[in-house]
Amino acid sequence: MTENPKDKPWLFRTYAGHSTAKASNALYRSNLARGQTGLSVAFDLPTQTGYDSDHVLAKGEVGKVGVPVCHIGDMEALFDQIPLDQMNTSMTINATAPWLLSLYIAVAEKQGADIAKLQGTVQNDLIKEYLSRGTYICPPKPSLKMIADVAEYCYANVPKWNPMNVCSYHLQEAGATPEQELSFALATATAVLDELKPRVPEADFPAMVGRISFFVNAGIRFVTEMCKMRAFVDLWDEICRERYGVENPKFRRFRYGVQVNSLGLTEQQPENNVYRILLEMLAVTLSKNARARAVQLPAWNEALGLPRPWDQQWSLRMQQIMAYETDLLEYDDLFDGNPAVTAKVEALKDGARHELATLDSMGGAVSAIEYMKSRLVDSNADRLTRIERNETIVVGVNQWIEAEPSPLMSEDGGIMTVDPKVEADQIAHLNDWRAQRNEQAVQTALAGLRKAAREGNNIMPPSIEAAKAGVTTGEWAAEMRAVHGEYRGPTGVSPNPSNRTEGLEDLRDAVDAVSNRLGRRLKFLVGKPGLDGHSNGAEQIASRARDCGMDIAYEGIRLTPEEIVNAAQNDGAHVIGLSILSGSHMPLMEELMSRLAAAGLSDIPVIVGGIIPEEDATRLRDIGIARVYTPKDFELNTIMMDIVTLADPSAIAAQ
């Protein structure tokens, strides 16, 4: 192990965006002034799913988990005074990736930039959206074609841009084992490369392969996670060399950015999350040969809500201390030749190869989406069960629960909240934009976009023209929906009776007893209103309810309150359970309860789970919500007994 000239540090990023483009621009410029070296843009859910801020599904979602970008004016405001030809920008966007990149390119051109010099990444991974995140729009095959459109365009016109960022991050958030994270991500990459290969000259294909990047997750088991990263490096090199014949090692390099695990951050004793984040960062920085090229860290309070600028600064300082105060960057790889590390890496690679072979036998990632989804739901159920049984210790959650109040929780509750007025202001600005633009130019641009989509041509050039003409995000996505149709991904939750009944005997007996009193099987309707696609919690609640013997109805994500009320009426639901993680719980629940009353269904108990501050939980109870659950309520069996009690006609009669 020799001391070398000091390596350059990775890109320092924070995942940021909220409220409005103007407010987010101020945050970006502030973060850059504090030493951040790249931008990572968080878009709000309407932007991610292709809706304008005034769409019915956008209600309560505007500016909550990211910045709303409806048109080129918003994108210009977002990057005001930030020269794009000098910036490395990561845009975490998938279904609308062609559109957001088109807006970015159009703004760069207005700034006078040479677009060939633009550097950054657009995530553009739709397969993981079907599996874990839920912001998809179109079916898999046309979505894969759009991914390839972006890559082909960037290869010819924006050669320093990473046009596709295979995202295994949300796979781990959905419960993936390291082997599943490795195999599902690599299968996604091969599906994209197989789609791309016929589009470029054979001699140019290796360079195209070299532009594919990855975005990964690093959990708390940092030795295993570090070994996973070394396995990723080896397996990607193997795939590039053996499957695609890439000889140049530069083009086989596993290039990845990382955000460390947010799923493991706890609402209980949230100050402990600082240690978790630091340990997780070690997994992607310690091993030089598998070191991330860009790192963004969550803030200590993300299990509570939206971080404040100070919280993001604290996470940035963690990176800077690691890079500049320690001697980490002065040495060769610390783990080469370590027998324990070598053995673990080989075991992970063997497990991933076995899973990849299974996926290949199914026809690849696109054909195996339903299989992969069900595997993730099962893996996540196993993870939660281990925590419930204290087989996996989580400090402050299932052990050492008693603690002093955190002094970090100040008068603002330790989080930033988005003023509800932001949504009304954004809609007003959007209406002004529509009124002032050249409508003929918009319609001409939309016609060109529609023609390209129908004829199977690359949609990037007409998308850029549409951006310049003033087309909105919702209008662009509407054309894609009209041509390719919409899609509802698999839930991974079978409604059929389950054999996962160990330890549930008492609950199953209680469900049977209440069902007998009801005169039919207890019907539990699970739904996700709004645009939040983080479906892990809803899937686990639905799965456990099924395992307890309830008759479940779970249709997946992106439901309007009206659709949920109709389903409750049609299915004869005894209890409604709703999951909302985007912070839009108040407006959505107010509308739902109003619609239930209008339909004469006020007697159906409603329970709600999500990242919900106590003040909002009180307000929800005041409007009639029967139970409110937050991440600290991790014992699913307790929730199951609440459902049984709420549905029990004898308990209701006694009240």
Side-chain angles (χ1 to χ4, degrees):
M1 195 180 305
T2 59
E3 194 167 339
N4 286 326
K6 197 167 188 176
D7 284 351
K8 289 183 179 179
W10 51 90
L11 281 171
F12 301 158
R13 287 180 169 144
T14 54
Y15 181 55
H18 66 86
S19 303
T20 65
K22 184 177 180 180
S24 297
N25 171 262
L27 177 62
Y28 294 165
R29 288 192 285 118
S30 173
N31 285 346
L32 290 169
R34 293 184 174 116
Q36 188 172 303
T37 53
L39 293 177
S40 182
V41 182
F43 296 96
D44 74 354
L45 287 173
T47 304
Q48 291 185 50
T49 49
Y51 294 109
D52 286 330
S53 297
D54 58 352
H55 192 277
V56 62
L57 277 170
K59 183 177 181 179
E61 307 279 17
V62 176
K64 285 285 175 63
V65 301
V67 57
V69 174
C70 292
H71 47 73
I72 192 172
D74 285 340
M75 191 66 97
E76 280 189 279
L78 186 63
F79 293 107
D80 181 42
Q81 300 179 59
I82 299 175
L84 297 186
D85 55 359
Q86 299 173 34
M87 185 51 54
N88 191 305
T89 304
S90 171
M91 295 197 289
T92 305
I93 201 77
N94 294 285
T96 50
W99 174 242
L100 271 295
L101 181 57
S102 295
L103 288 172
Y104 189 88
I105 290 170
V107 168
E109 288 186 347
K110 289 188 76 170
Q111 289 186 354
D114 178 355
I115 67 167
K117 295 180 179 178
L118 297 180
Q119 296 186 67
T121 301
V122 68
Q123 194 167 95
N124 205 21
D125 178 351
L126 262 296
I127 292 177
K128 68 94 178 175
E129 295 297 328
Y130 305 131
L131 297 179
S132 53
R133 184 58 188 87
T135 65
Y136 52 79
I137 296 175
C138 297
K141 287 189 177 178
S143 296
L144 190 62
K145 189 262 180 188
M146 283 189 269
I147 293 171
D149 283 354
V150 172
E152 182 183 33
Y153 178 85
C154 287
Y155 174 72
N157 300 280
V158 198
K160 295 183 178 181
W161 195 269
N162 299 319
M164 199 273 172
N165 185 236
V166 182
C167 180
S168 71
Y169 176 85
H170 291 100
L171 302 181
Q172 187 180 123
E173 296 273 284
T177 65
E179 293 87 349
Q180 288 169 344
E181 189 179 343
L182 285 162
S183 57
F184 293 3
L186 292 170
T188 297
T190 58
V192 171
L193 288 177
D194 288 349
E195 179 80 11
L196 275 171
K197 194 169 185 181
R199 292 193 178 212
V200 296
E202 185 175 348
D204 294 345
F205 186 68
M208 175 75 85
V209 173
R211 295 315 308 171
I212 301 296
S213 62
F214 291 75
F215 186 72
V216 306
N217 200 327
I220 194 66
R221 293 170 57 82
F222 76 90
V223 175
T224 296
E225 294 293 288
M226 184 271 294
C227 291
K228 179 191 76 183
M229 298 320 308
R230 290 172 69 95
F232 255 133
V233 169
D234 291 353
L235 288 167
W236 183 239
D237 184 82
E238 185 178 296
I239 287 169
C240 291
R241 188 178 62 254
E242 296 180 6
R243 185 178 180 121
Y244 298 112
V246 178
E247 297 296 333
N248 188 336
K250 175 184 174 183
F251 297 144
R252 302 199 305 263
R253 186 183 306 153
F254 184 78
R255 300 179 310 115
Y256 77 99
V258 65
Q259 171 158 321
V260 307
N261 194 303
S262 294
L263 178 69
L265 302 183
T266 63
E267 179 183 7
Q268 305 92 317
Q269 301 176 31
E271 62 276 5
N272 295 340
N273 293 329
V274 175
Y275 302 130
R276 293 185 175 105
I277 293 165
L278 174 60
L279 289 168
E280 289 165 354
M281 184 170 66
L282 294 178
V284 295
T285 55
L286 281 177
S287 178
K288 179 179 179 179
N289 293 337
R291 184 172 292 148
R293 295 168 68 88
V295 177
Q296 60 191 47
L297 302 180
W300 67 280
N301 54 352
E302 286 195 22
L304 306 174
L306 194 64
R308 301 158 299 189
W310 181 88
D311 305 312
Q312 292 195 327
Q313 174 187 292
W314 198 13
S315 286
L316 174 62
R317 295 292 182 254
M318 195 181 298
Q319 293 200 56
Q320 291 168 326
I321 290 167
M322 178 76 79
Y324 293 113
E325 293 192 23
T326 77
D327 57 356
L328 175 66
L329 298 179
E330 297 173 13
Y331 292 90
D332 284 337
D333 198 289
L334 306 176
F335 300 99
D336 282 353
N338 182 301
V341 168
T342 299
K344 182 63 175 177
V345 170
E346 290 304 316
L348 289 172
K349 286 158 59 176
D350 287 345
R353 287 191 192 102
H354 176 77
E355 191 70 77
L356 279 166
T358 299
L359 299 176
D360 276 343
S361 72
M362 295 179 172
V366 170
S367 301
I369 285 171
E370 194 161 343
Y371 162 79
M372 290 190 286
K373 179 66 175 178
S374 64
R375 291 272 287 163
L376 291 175
V377 171
D378 288 345
S379 293
N380 208 14
D382 291 340
R383 181 187 69 84
L384 290 172
T385 297
R386 289 192 298 272
I387 294 173
E388 286 182 289
R389 294 176 178 173
N390 285 353
E391 295 168 9
T392 296
I393 301 299
V394 182
V395 174
V397 173
N398 58 4
Q399 290 288 321
W400 308 293
I401 297 168
E402 296 298 322
E404 293 293 325
S406 171
L408 295 175
M409 305 290 286
S410 55
E411 67 279 355
D412 60 6
I415 56 172
M416 183 172 71
T417 56
V418 175
D419 188 336
K421 186 174 176 287
V422 161
E423 185 166 317
D425 289 347
Q426 173 68 12
I427 291 171
H429 290 312
L430 174 60
N431 288 330
D432 289 344
W433 176 267
R434 291 191 186 118
Q436 294 171 15
R437 65 187 182 176
N438 183 325
E439 194 59 32
Q440 184 176 349
V442 167
Q443 294 306 318
T444 299
L446 288 173
L449 178 64
R450 191 180 315 125
K451 183 174 185 291
R454 283 178 175 165
E455 294 179 358
N457 297 326
N458 193 309
I459 62 167
M460 283 300 295
S463 293
I464 294 170
E465 291 306 309
K468 293 175 180 177
V471 166
T472 69
T473 297
E475 290 165 343
W476 180 90
E479 296 296 340
M480 298 303 104
R481 289 182 168 99
V483 173
H484 302 302
E486 293 196 62
Y487 180 73
R488 183 166 287 279
T491 66
V493 181
S494 169
N496 298 323
S498 168
N499 60 4
R500 300 170 68 100
T501 59
E502 182 183 350
L504 302 178
E505 292 80 8
D506 291 347
L507 274 167
R508 291 176 67 85
D509 289 344
V511 170
D512 288 343
V514 169
S515 297
N516 288 335
R517 288 193 283 275
L518 290 167
R520 59 187 174 92
R521 182 59 45 182
L522 193 167
K523 185 76 174 189
F524 180 43
L525 172 65
V526 181
K528 282 195 65 61
L531 295 176
D532 168 37
H534 284 106
S535 57
N536 305 335
E539 290 157 4
Q540 294 309 312
I541 291 290
S543 296
R544 184 64 61 86
R546 174 204 61 195
D547 295 347
C548 290
M550 299 182 203
D551 181 8
I552 64 164
Y554 175 52
E555 295 300 320
I557 63 172
R558 221 179 293 174
L559 301 172
T560 65
E562 181 180 11
E563 288 171 329
I564 291 168
V565 171
N566 290 340
Q569 196 159 33
N570 295 335
D571 293 342
H574 295 114
V575 179
I576 300 172
L578 304 176
S579 169
I580 311 169
L581 291 163
S582 63
S584 59
H585 42 269
M586 287 309 307
L588 289 173
M589 288 305 94
E590 287 167 351
E591 181 180 347
L592 179 92
M593 298 305 284
S594 175
R595 287 183 176 276
L596 282 173
L601 301 176
S602 295
D603 58 327
I604 302 178
V606 178
I607 64 176
V608 177
I611 299 176
I612 301 172
E614 183 52 40
E615 180 183 344
D616 285 358
T618 299
R619 292 171 61 197
L620 288 171
R621 295 184 195 100
D622 289 344
I623 66 172
I625 301 299
R627 299 282 190 280
V628 178
Y629 303 100
T630 67
K632 69 177 182 295
D633 302 299
F634 68 95
E635 293 183 348
L636 298 188
N637 288 354
T638 300
I639 298 174
M640 294 301 111
M641 187 54 74
D642 287 349
I643 295 168
V644 172
T645 302
L646 289 169
D648 190 347
S650 62
I652 295 169
Q655 292 177 356

